């Protein structure tokens, strides 16, 4: 991955977005480079999201249901990996990723659009009928998201906090299978959330490794445990459908994710970002 170094006005803008950043061993300048590197990661994910969404929505618009179904879970992964940053734009997040129960009339509500409205049509009705305008709106929203984030100075507390937020969301709501309730492709989302969380931790690791090696080792072990748990359900280039997991499987996965989320919840404090 290319290296982006913030200097001059860009560094000053970053520091202005991080008032009060300080801890005993981490200075405001220490966090600049990890966040700059994370911005590159986000940009790469958004590039992939735009490319994948184009292929996905093109299939929807020509009524190729089977291709659209196949592309649905992998297309979402880039969005899920950088969800804490995408959520900075609540209007786009609601348009791209809201669920039926976020709307008064559920699946019949005209405000229910985005990925999950298309998912409902493809997997519950086995049809792409009427989804052309929804596909066009999704493509426009994804492109808009990429444009908005391009020149955004990422808030460091949001970046670092995102490591825990991604895992907390899995543990709190996604583990029930409510997110991709029609396609049952939840494990793809979990993997993307996991990958996004680990990326953040890996980038800030050098700032805490020397002073708190025990913490780093504990988090690494928790990441490895979740990774090994998810690996059990891999199938081909993706995952088994979520109903393949037993209740015991889900309990184990939830416990492992919760442990990781609890570890990561202290990360902001260790970097003086609380």
């Amino acid at each position: 991955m290319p290296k982006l170094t913030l200097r001059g006005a860009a560094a000053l803008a970053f520091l202005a977005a991080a008032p009060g950043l300080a801890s005993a061993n981490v200075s405001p300048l220490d966090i600049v480079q990890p966040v700059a590197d994370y911005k590159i990661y986000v940009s790469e994910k958004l590039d992939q999201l735009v490319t994948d969404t184009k292929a996905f929505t093109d299939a929807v618009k020509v009524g190729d249901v089977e291709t659209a179904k196949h592309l649905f879970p992998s297309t979402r992964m880039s969005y899920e990996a950088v969800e804490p940053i995408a959520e900075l734009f609540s209007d786009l997040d609601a348009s791209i990723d809201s669920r039926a129960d976020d709307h008064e009339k559920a699946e019949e509500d005209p405000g229910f659009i985005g990925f999950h409205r298309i998912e409902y049509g493809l997997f519950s009705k086995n049809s792409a009928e009427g989804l052309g305008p929804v596909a066009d709106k999704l493509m426009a929203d994804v492109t808009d998201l990429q444009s908005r984030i391009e020149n955004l100075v990422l808030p460091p507390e949001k970046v670092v906090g995102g490591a825990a937020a991604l895992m907390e969301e899995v543990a709190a709501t996604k583990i029930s299978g409510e997110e991709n309730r029609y396609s049952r492709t939840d494990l793809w989302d979990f993997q993307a959330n996991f990958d996004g969380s680990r990326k953040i931790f890996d980038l800030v690791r050098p700032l805490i490794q020397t002073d708190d090696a025990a913490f780093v080792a504990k988090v690494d072990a928790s990441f490895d445990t979740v990774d090994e748990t998810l690996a059990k359900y891999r199938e081909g280039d993706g995952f088994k459908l979520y109903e393949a997991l037993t209740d015991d499987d889900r309990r184990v996965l939830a416990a492992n994710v919760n442990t990781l989320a609890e570890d990561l919840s202290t990360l902001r404090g260790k970097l003086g970002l609380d």
Side-chain angles (χ1 to χ4, degrees):
M1 185 175 69
K3 199 85 167 174
L4 172 66
T5 302
L6 295 184
R7 296 188 178 91
L12 290 174
F14 172 88
L15 293 174
L21 177 63
S23 73
N25 300 302
V26 180
S27 76
L29 285 173
D30 290 333
I31 200 73
V32 170
Q33 193 59 55
V35 175
D37 290 341
Y38 182 68
K39 178 68 178 292
I40 295 174
Y41 173 77
V42 171
S43 296
E44 290 173 345
K45 287 296 180 184
L46 291 175
D47 288 345
Q48 189 66 53
L49 177 64
V50 168
T51 298
D52 290 348
T53 302
K54 179 67 166 58
F56 171 63
T57 55
D58 281 353
V60 171
K61 288 164 64 178
V62 299
D64 188 346
V65 172
E66 292 308 311
T67 295
K69 283 182 176 180
H70 176 72
L71 293 175
F72 174 76
S74 58
T75 298
R76 285 181 49 77
M77 289 185 77
S78 296
Y79 187 85
E80 291 290 327
V82 298
E83 197 168 18
I85 303 305
E87 288 176 346
L88 291 173
F89 302 99
S90 58
D91 60 327
L92 289 180
D93 183 56
S95 183
I96 291 169
D97 202 38
S98 67
R99 305 170 195 176
D101 37 3
D102 294 325
H103 303 274
E104 183 179 357
K105 297 179 181 179
E107 284 87 356
E108 303 308 314
D109 198 298
F112 177 43
I113 57 176
F115 274 119
H116 295 302
R117 174 61 184 89
I118 296 174
E119 178 198 9
Y120 171 63
L122 295 175
F123 292 90
S124 289
K125 296 187 174 183
N126 198 37
S127 172
E129 185 177 354
L131 293 179
V134 183
D136 284 338
K137 173 63 172 167
L138 176 61
M139 190 69 232
D141 286 339
V142 164
T143 304
D144 188 10
L145 179 66
Q146 182 187 42
S147 177
R148 292 194 202 183
I149 291 178
E150 183 177 359
N151 296 312
L152 179 69
V153 176
L154 300 185
E157 70 281 0
K158 188 70 174 178
V159 171
V160 175
L166 283 162
M167 292 294 93
E168 288 166 354
E169 187 175 1
V170 172
T173 60
K174 292 183 178 181
I175 202 73
S176 68
E178 68 179 50
E179 175 99 14
N180 298 327
R181 64 191 67 175
Y182 317 111
S183 63
R184 313 305 291 155
T185 56
D186 302 88
L187 289 168
W188 279 261
D189 282 15
F190 294 179
Q191 183 68 57
N193 293 152
F194 172 86
D195 291 343
S197 178
R198 191 161 207 170
K199 181 65 178 182
I200 294 168
F201 183 71
D202 285 345
L203 287 173
V204 300
R205 171 198 304 274
L207 303 183
I208 51 179
Q209 178 72 58
T210 300
D211 296 317
D212 204 341
F215 170 76
V216 170
K218 186 173 187 292
V219 173
D220 278 338
S222 293
F223 270 121
D224 288 345
T225 298
V226 173
D227 194 30
E228 290 164 7
T229 304
L230 286 171
K232 294 177 183 178
Y233 311 113
R234 284 197 169 277
E235 189 171 75
D237 60 354
F239 291 89
K240 296 178 180 178
L241 297 182
Y242 200 48
E243 59 258 31
L245 276 67
T246 67
D247 288 344
D248 283 344
D249 289 333
R250 296 186 192 193
R251 279 193 288 269
V252 169
L253 180 58
N256 292 340
V257 170
N258 265 314
T259 297
L260 177 57
E262 288 169 7
D263 291 340
L264 293 171
S265 68
T266 66
L267 194 56
R268 282 184 17 161
K270 290 181 181 295
L271 295 171
L273 288 165
D274 281 341

